[in-house]
Amino acid sequence: MHDLTLLRDLVLLVAVAIPMAALAQRVRTPTVVAFLLTGVVIGPHALGLIHDAESVAALAELGVVLLLFTIGLELSMSRIFRLGRAVLQGGGLQVLGTLAAVAAIALLLGTAWRPAVFFGALAALSSTAIVLKVLKDRSELDTPHGRVMLAILLFQDLCVVPLMLLVPLLAGTAGSVLQALGEMALSVGVVAGLVLAGRYVVPWILERVVGLRNREVFTLCVVLFGLGAAWITAHFGLSLALGAFIAGLVVSESEYGLQALSDVVPFRDTFSSIFFMSVGMLLDPAFVAGRPLVVAGATLGLMVLKAAIAGGVTISLGRSLTVGARAGLGLAQVGEFSFVLAMVAVPLGLLEPAAHQLFIAVSVLSMFATPFVIAGSRGLAERLARLGGGSVLDVEPDQAAELERLHDHVVIVGYGINGSNLARVLRAAGIRYVILEQNGQLVRHAQRDGEPIYFGDGTSREVLHQAGLERARALVLAIASPEDERRGVAVARDMSPTVRIVVRTRYVSEMTELRRLGADDVVPEEFETSLEIFSRVLRLYGVPSNVIAREVEAARGAHYEMLRGLALPDLRLDELRHLGVHAVLDTVQVEPGARAAGQGMAALRLRQETGATVIAVVREGQAVPNPPPDFPFQAGDIVVLVGDRESLNRGVEIFRCREPAGAGPGGPAPP
């Protein structure tokens, strides 16, 4: 009879995890928290439903390998270079600052220097899995604090490699200095060998595997790279997880990285859930109950220390106090990579049992608290900012006086592509405006260019008041966070019932709520992109520009609810190709009631008045090249014009019906 204990434990784990994950989704809590709680409840220290924690730990170690492999796949050097300074400066200062601060505190408490440094390394890392999941669920990945948190997390993930190499040295297992240096050199050589092999061998193999056009072979090959790299590093005395992480980084740089990630994600999700449940099993509730003040004090103290360091680092990047506080609070927990380091250190004697259990308790409790801390970070950050004077614009006295004199201006929130383009057009038109931005680097560059831009949160009541919102004609929210968009609209509408609020949002689904809060105009990117796509496709087939424009405006006038079907004429403009037209060309459909309807070119004096020339007319699908001067235009005719752009713009108007002002398909024009 086979021993089915492991299978029973695995079935029990999955059976309990499913309702816990469903409950977590209902209460909008990351599933990672549910998995941790599941492990605590059914583990050997609580209900004891699972007795053999070692067998589950074996599955958890496989889960760590796949988790780090997929995180390596999700990281790419191009992504890191794109974030640039925020990764290197922000991540470097956060990791080194936290490590040094925790190590110093441990030394003051009488800990030896080797464990003290290791405690600092454990505390320096935050949870990539939990933080990114919470930010994604809250639509905050593209916010200023979300981007900073992502950059710091990327650097922390990269630090796992050198930290794992340092663990044996800190444990004192390397013997003499020469032996330690030799083992370090061997470790570096193994890592370098994996990177070089992955750089030149992996793409060569994957290219030939892809040529087989067999999905199963490709997936098996990708898993082989991850597990094989893990086995190689373990063979040389390094961590399994280290090899998997390096393999993921290497594969991500190939052109097959995205496909590899999609193939491995299902395995990652399954085994990483087992990993987090096994972490929960390590927590001894009796240990926490016997030392509640020590555990609570250590957890709170560590989270406050990490939040302060990460917040200070964020401010050093030129971000506001509000952004710094929110980023710091979001990175205040202990991360899953810290458990990986602990798993390596425990067998080496670097963590004593009592210290290990305290680490587990603090880590699990900080992970539990993270979703709730991030949810409440805005209010706390704003209170801290007000105390520190960070919620109002930092302006010189002459600038403050200039802002006081502003009226009938435009307030632009966000200086990305949309905000900067709007500012350029307003400047050319002689319309006064003021820009609010939370990226200090952007503010400095724009100020050097002479832009009226200020460092501040454009959704804050105090900042909007100092920017003169009550005297402004329009507010334009050109930011990328749905939460900030909703907040900005609500605050602005409460401050000024008359200001016109224009919002650029990412999704059509946000329109209803933004209009309910008081937005006058909402421009969703995904819908405008769809309009641009169908406009370009229709131009490719020679559909008249005014027909395209009419349908676009009709779709906008329907409040973006649906794309209406297009009733287009059956065009066969191929018959015009023999004309060899190389000048600027446009087509227009004669509209009922247009000035040209029923008249010929001689009566219209088209060329004399506009400069455009009619080279053909398409009527009922038949082309009439070079129509005579007395050829009468009819409603529905497709007129082909040539000329420069200004002439074409004037000529097109002759064939359009001049409707009363404000009576277009989108409804009355705004005042």
Side-chain angles (χ1 to χ4, degrees):
M1 185 70 179
H2 297 288
D3 185 6
L4 299 179
T5 302
L6 177 59
L7 181 59
R8 182 192 69 86
D9 292 346
L10 185 58
V11 169
L12 183 60
L13 274 176
V14 176
V16 177
I18 290 174
M20 292 293 290
L23 178 62
Q25 183 180 11
R26 179 170 287 272
V27 298
R28 297 190 176 185
T29 300
T31 52
V32 173
V33 176
F35 295 146
L36 289 169
L37 184 59
T38 300
V40 173
V41 172
I42 67 177
H45 301 296
L47 297 181
L49 299 179
I50 293 182
H51 304 285
D52 187 9
E54 292 184 2
S55 61
V56 177
L59 289 174
E61 190 164 14
L62 179 58
V64 171
V65 169
L66 291 173
L67 176 65
L68 293 190
F69 182 50
T70 51
I71 288 178
L73 285 172
E74 290 172 338
L75 288 175
S76 66
M77 301 311 295
S78 58
R79 188 181 190 187
I80 295 169
F81 291 146
R82 189 165 59 247
L83 291 170
R85 175 171 169 250
V87 174
L88 297 178
Q89 178 181 326
L93 290 176
Q94 187 275 330
V95 170
L96 292 176
T98 305
L99 191 154
V102 173
I105 294 173
L107 288 172
L108 291 175
L109 295 176
T111 306
W113 76 269
R114 292 177 187 269
V117 173
F118 183 68
F119 292 156
L122 292 178
L125 304 179
S126 303
S127 176
T128 302
I130 294 179
V131 171
L132 294 187
K133 181 69 166 64
V134 174
L135 291 179
K136 183 178 180 181
D137 291 344
R138 294 176 57 83
S139 300
E140 293 182 9
L141 276 175
D142 286 328
T143 59
H145 63 275
R147 289 192 291 269
V148 172
M149 292 163 70
L150 174 61
I152 293 176
L153 288 169
L154 285 176
F155 187 87
Q156 290 180 1
D157 293 343
L158 293 175
C159 283
V160 172
V161 176
L163 290 177
M164 283 185 176
L165 296 177
L166 286 174
V167 169
L169 297 179
L170 293 176
T173 59
S176 65
V177 175
L178 289 178
Q179 185 179 355
L181 292 176
E183 292 189 3
M184 175 65 75
L186 177 62
S187 301
V188 173
V190 171
V191 172
L194 286 175
V195 171
L196 290 175
R199 176 70 177 83
Y200 296 103
V201 177
V202 168
W204 184 84
I205 295 176
L206 288 179
E207 183 178 357
R208 279 144 186 82
V209 169
V210 169
L212 299 176
R213 299 183 181 276
N214 188 308
R215 178 73 173 271
E216 290 80 4
V217 174
F218 180 84
T219 303
L220 287 172
C221 193
V222 169
V223 173
L224 174 64
F225 291 146
L227 297 181
W231 177 80
I232 290 174
T233 53
H235 179 73
F236 286 96
L238 303 176
S239 167
L240 286 168
L242 175 61
F245 182 66
I246 294 172
L249 280 175
V250 170
V251 175
S252 72
E253 290 303 307
S254 73
E255 58 183 308
Y256 310 107
L258 289 177
Q259 182 62 50
L261 178 61
S262 67
D263 287 350
V264 175
V265 161
F267 300 101
R268 187 275 309 269
D269 292 341
T270 300
F271 284 96
S272 65
S273 64
I274 296 175
F275 165 69
F276 283 110
M277 284 186 279
S278 68
V279 169
M281 285 185 227
L282 297 175
L283 179 64
D284 185 358
F287 178 87
V288 178
R291 305 164 181 80
L293 295 180
V294 174
V295 173
T299 303
L300 181 61
L302 179 63
M303 294 186 72
V304 170
L305 177 65
K306 291 193 68 175
I309 293 173
V313 167
T314 302
I315 294 172
S316 75
L317 294 172
R319 305 304 195 268
S320 67
L321 182 57
T322 303
V323 172
R326 297 193 71 180
L329 290 169
L331 296 172
Q333 75 292 133
V334 178
E336 57 272 356
F337 283 124
S338 298
F339 290 103
V340 177
L341 292 178
M343 291 170 63
V344 175
V346 168
L348 299 177
L350 193 58
L351 269 181
E352 297 180 356
H356 185 216
Q357 190 55 233
L358 180 61
F359 160 73
I360 293 294
V362 170
S363 302
V364 172
L365 290 177
S366 68
M367 286 180 168
F368 278 143
T370 296
F372 309 104
V373 171
I374 292 179
S377 64
R378 175 186 281 277
L380 180 58
E382 290 181 348
R383 284 192 289 272
L384 291 174
R386 280 194 290 270
L387 290 175
S391 65
V392 294
L393 298 180
D394 183 16
V395 296
E396 300 296 332
D398 58 334
Q399 294 175 322
E402 178 67 20
L403 287 173
E404 286 290 337
R405 289 192 294 269
L406 279 177
H407 65 89
D408 203 36
H409 58 292
V410 178
V411 178
I412 304 172
V413 179
Y415 196 64
I417 294 176
N418 293 280
S420 58
N421 284 336
L422 175 60
R424 176 178 54 80
V425 173
L426 292 177
R427 183 170 62 252
I431 299 173
R432 304 189 70 183
Y433 60 93
V434 60
I435 307 166
L436 304 174
E437 172 59 54
Q438 294 191 77
N439 186 321
Q441 190 173 7
L442 279 180
V443 171
R444 287 191 295 273
H445 288 320
Q447 284 178 341
R448 285 198 292 267
D449 293 336
E451 290 285 4
I453 185 171
Y454 302 96
F455 189 80
D457 180 4
T459 67
S460 166
R461 182 179 296 270
E462 292 88 349
V463 170
L464 289 174
H465 172 72
Q466 195 162 349
L469 180 73
E470 295 90 339
R471 304 183 304 276
R473 174 176 292 196
L475 167 71
V476 178
L477 292 166
I479 49 183
S481 167
E483 181 189 8
D484 288 338
E485 291 163 1
R486 293 190 291 267
R487 175 180 169 82
V489 170
V491 170
R493 182 54 70 213
D494 182 64
M495 292 177 63
S496 174
T498 58
V499 68
R500 190 166 191 89
I501 301 176
V502 181
V503 187
R504 163 265 198 183
T505 190
R506 182 161 291 182
Y507 305 111
V508 174
S509 57
E510 293 291 327
M511 292 186 62
T512 302
E513 179 65 13
L514 290 170
R515 288 188 180 278
R516 187 189 67 80
L517 292 171
D520 297 291
D521 300 295
V522 182
V523 182
E525 283 187 357
E526 64 177 354
F527 188 79
E528 287 298 325
T529 301
S530 73
L531 295 181
E532 181 63 20
I533 289 173
F534 87 60
S535 297
R536 294 193 180 200
V537 172
L538 293 179
R539 289 193 198 101
L540 182 65
Y541 283 90
V543 176
S545 58
N546 65 323
V547 173
I548 298 174
R550 187 169 65 240
E551 294 298 336
V552 168
E553 290 305 314
R556 291 197 180 106
H559 303 289
Y560 301 88
E561 291 177 0
M562 59 182 294
L563 282 171
R564 302 187 338 177
L566 303 181
L568 301 175
D570 180 19
L571 301 178
R572 292 192 293 273
L573 296 181
D574 290 345
E575 301 173 38
L576 299 178
R577 291 180 179 175
H578 69 278
L579 295 177
V581 177
H582 299 289
V584 178
L585 180 147
D586 201 354
T587 56
V588 60
Q589 186 179 50
V590 181
E591 299 176 352
R595 174 184 165 191
Q599 297 201 46
M601 285 187 295
L604 288 175
R605 296 175 53 83
L606 183 69
R607 187 170 185 178
Q608 292 85 341
E609 291 188 14
T610 68
T613 302
V614 176
I615 61 170
V617 176
V618 181
R619 178 175 295 172
E620 297 179 354
Q622 298 297 320
V624 181
N626 298 316
D630 58 348
F631 180 86
F633 294 105
Q634 297 179 3
D637 285 349
I638 307 300
V639 182
V640 183
L641 303 170
V642 293
D644 58 39
R645 178 46 52 190
E646 292 185 2
S647 299
L648 291 176
N649 290 338
R650 290 191 294 268
V652 163
E653 293 302 318
I654 302 295
F655 300 94
R656 288 178 174 172
C657 178
R658 295 183 177 275
E659 299 180 85

